[in-house]
Amino acid sequence: MKKGTYRLLMGLWILALIVTRIVYFSYSSHSVVDTYEYYAHAMIQQDRAAQDLSGDGVSSGMAYAYTRNLSGVLAFLGNRMEVLGGYQLILQIVWMIFIFLGAGFIFGRMAQMLTGTILAASPWILETIFVVSPENYFMLVFSILFWGLGVFCGGTKKNAGEKSVLWAVWLILVCLGMGMLCVWNYLGWLLAPVAICVLVKNKGHFFYGSILAAGFFCGILATLLRYARLTGLSLGEQFAWWTAPLKALPKRCQDLSVQMAAWLLFAGLAGVLVAMITDRINKRRLNHLPDEGGEEAPDEETKQVREVKEVKTPEKEEEPVQYVIAADGRKVALLENPLPLPKKHEKRKMDFKYHDVNGNMPEPVKEPLQSVKGWVDHAPDGSDFDDFDIKILENDDFDV
């Protein structure tokens, strides 16, 4: 697929996502409901500096962060629950775009289209617009971090062996956010295997791997210390507070519906599976391996330019054809030089051929060479050279 066609498809996909969401929200008969009372908690929290995680029904870091966010939105847009529907509509459109872009960076174009389409077509995700619940807010943060890993993957893949301070800082920020998200909800841990996959694609060198691990655990520790200051609980007690809601699985856990986890896992695994199959097919096609058996194909990065084997026939021996491998696996043959080239030099031998009057070549006659003296005294016809001399008189008009 050409780059221009791919960008056009991306633009059409994003446009379709936005249009369908807006049309559904505008013409749907659904009203925004506060099933889990997050709106009520946000109204209470507007006049409080901090919220106790163990009180008022707030049972997780996710719920605490979401109610704080709702408090700010309601203070800005007005204390009307209807505005939260439009707010969650915007959140859903934005996080789906970030997931779509991040999947393209990490797993490729086919996985990007499949994963994004599955999430966009999910009827359950579409209905979350009208329920005041943390799912779309959580997915916004999740998708931004996922996109951040994708940008890191795409930016460092070409120079995997080089160390860059800029990319190191970028990775630290992403990993700090990952640690915070893991404290909010258990679904944040889904970013850990994605980060490992990114390191593998970049040859997994120790420099970025150590930064990822350090940033991830620093993010967890910083979030827990912040909650310790708010709640007065020790780190050990906060661990028990974090793990206790997990007993509710497979029901709603840590203030997120399990259906959100199911759709996210399904879309992600489908995209990864398609990416693996596509990559396998491309490698077999490039290396002309059979469908069954055969050795593993080498990496595409090491064989961007290859030479096709010469095909020899009795009539003519063809010259090698050069081609390059495009990003989508296609083989593109290089054009021949259109400029005229000088003809190949041919060695020539100078020779003089003598023929008789009938056009036949006579046999060479070998005659003994005359002596120098005889040749000088007489012309070839036997006459003396003196017969050709010009006599000069005394009264001539020029000097000798």
Side-chain angles (χ1 to χ4, degrees):
M1 184 186 299
K2 296 181 180 180
K3 184 177 294 186
T5 305
Y6 169 65
R7 290 179 177 177
L8 177 62
L9 290 177
M10 286 181 59
L12 292 175
W13 190 94
I14 294 174
L15 179 62
L17 172 72
I18 296 173
V19 171
T20 54
R21 256 53 186 177
I22 294 177
V23 170
Y24 180 78
F25 179 77
S26 301
Y27 293 96
S28 176
S29 59
H30 292 74
S31 58
V32 181
V33 296
D34 188 25
T35 305
Y36 306 103
E37 299 183 350
Y38 293 105
Y39 173 76
H41 286 288
M43 294 292 294
I44 296 173
Q45 204 176 64
Q46 287 188 28
D47 299 327
R48 300 176 61 176
Q51 175 72 28
D52 187 353
L53 293 173
S54 61
D56 296 330
V58 180
S59 58
S60 68
M62 183 71 259
Y64 173 74
Y66 182 60
T67 52
R68 295 273 297 188
N69 177 260
L70 288 185
S71 297
V73 172
L74 293 173
F76 180 74
L77 299 178
N79 296 328
R80 294 181 297 118
M81 192 165 58
E82 292 76 15
V83 301
L84 296 182
Y87 173 64
Q88 295 198 135
L89 170 67
I90 296 173
L91 291 183
Q92 188 169 117
I93 291 174
V94 173
W95 74 254
M96 282 193 174
I97 292 176
F98 275 113
I99 285 285
F100 180 76
L101 297 176
F105 284 126
I106 301 174
F107 302 115
R109 298 175 181 178
M110 293 296 295
Q112 176 187 42
M113 292 294 177
L114 181 59
T115 299
T117 303
I118 290 175
L119 294 174
S122 168
W124 182 86
I125 292 178
L126 187 60
E127 292 296 328
T128 59
I129 296 175
F130 301 98
V131 180
V132 182
S133 187
E135 278 81 7
N136 287 292
Y137 180 72
F138 169 84
M139 285 305 302
L140 175 67
V141 181
F142 182 95
S143 63
I144 291 175
L145 297 175
F146 181 78
W147 171 81
L149 290 173
V151 172
F152 173 81
C153 179
T156 59
K157 188 175 182 179
K158 296 181 180 178
N159 302 312
E162 298 181 4
K163 301 176 181 179
S164 172
V165 177
L166 177 63
W167 287 119
V169 174
W170 178 273
L171 187 60
I172 288 175
L173 295 176
V174 172
C175 292
L176 287 173
M178 287 171 54
M180 176 197 69
L181 197 65
C182 289
V183 177
W184 282 8
N185 188 273
Y186 69 98
L187 286 182
W189 289 90
L190 292 178
L191 288 174
V194 176
I196 294 174
C197 179
V198 168
L199 289 181
V200 171
K201 286 180 174 291
N202 288 272
K203 309 306 180 184
H205 46 280
F206 180 77
F207 176 69
Y208 288 125
S210 58
I211 290 178
L212 187 148
F216 180 68
F217 287 106
C218 285
I220 293 177
L221 182 61
T223 307
L224 290 177
L225 290 176
R226 180 169 180 265
Y227 289 162
R229 181 177 60 84
L230 295 173
T231 63
L233 300 176
S234 64
L235 292 178
E237 292 172 334
Q238 288 190 58
F239 178 77
W241 162 77
W242 188 87
T243 56
L246 297 178
K247 299 177 183 179
L249 290 173
K251 298 180 180 180
R252 186 180 180 87
C253 179
Q254 291 184 341
D255 294 277
L256 286 184
S257 174
V258 179
Q259 294 190 57
M260 185 76 254
W263 279 104
L264 195 59
L265 284 172
F266 173 65
L269 291 177
V272 171
L273 182 62
V274 168
M276 293 174 62
I277 295 175
T278 304
D279 185 61
R280 185 72 175 181
I281 293 175
N282 288 337
K283 285 183 178 181
R284 288 185 181 277
R285 183 175 60 182
L286 294 177
N287 294 275
H288 305 285
L289 296 178
D291 292 337
E292 297 181 2
E295 58 180 337
E296 289 293 331
D299 294 336
E300 293 182 6
E301 292 84 355
T302 61
K303 293 191 176 183
Q304 290 295 320
V305 180
R306 302 184 181 186
E307 183 175 290
V308 176
K309 295 181 179 179
E310 298 183 21
V311 180
K312 297 183 179 180
T313 59
E315 294 79 14
K316 185 179 180 180
E317 181 177 341
E318 296 180 359
E319 297 182 354
V321 178
Q322 297 288 339
Y323 69 90
V324 296
I325 307 304
D328 56 358
R330 294 181 298 105
K331 294 188 294 186
V332 181
L334 298 178
L335 297 177
E336 296 182 359
N337 189 355
L339 299 178
L341 297 177
K343 295 183 179 179
K344 185 177 180 181
H345 176 71
E346 297 180 2
K347 185 177 180 180
R348 297 183 179 181
K349 182 179 179 181
M350 301 294 294
D351 191 12
F352 297 95
K353 297 181 180 180
Y354 300 93
H355 302 273
D356 56 15
V357 293
N358 296 324
N360 299 321
M361 181 181 294
E363 293 292 333
V365 179
K366 296 182 180 180
E367 297 181 354
L369 296 176
Q370 295 181 345
S371 63
V372 176
K373 183 177 183 305
W375 181 84
V376 172
D377 294 340
H378 302 281
D381 57 356
S383 60
D384 295 333
F385 282 107
D386 292 341
D387 294 343
F388 298 95
D389 289 344
I390 300 175
K391 295 181 180 181
I392 302 174
L393 302 177
E394 294 180 357
N395 59 352
D396 285 339
D397 197 16
F398 57 88
D399 297 330
V400 177

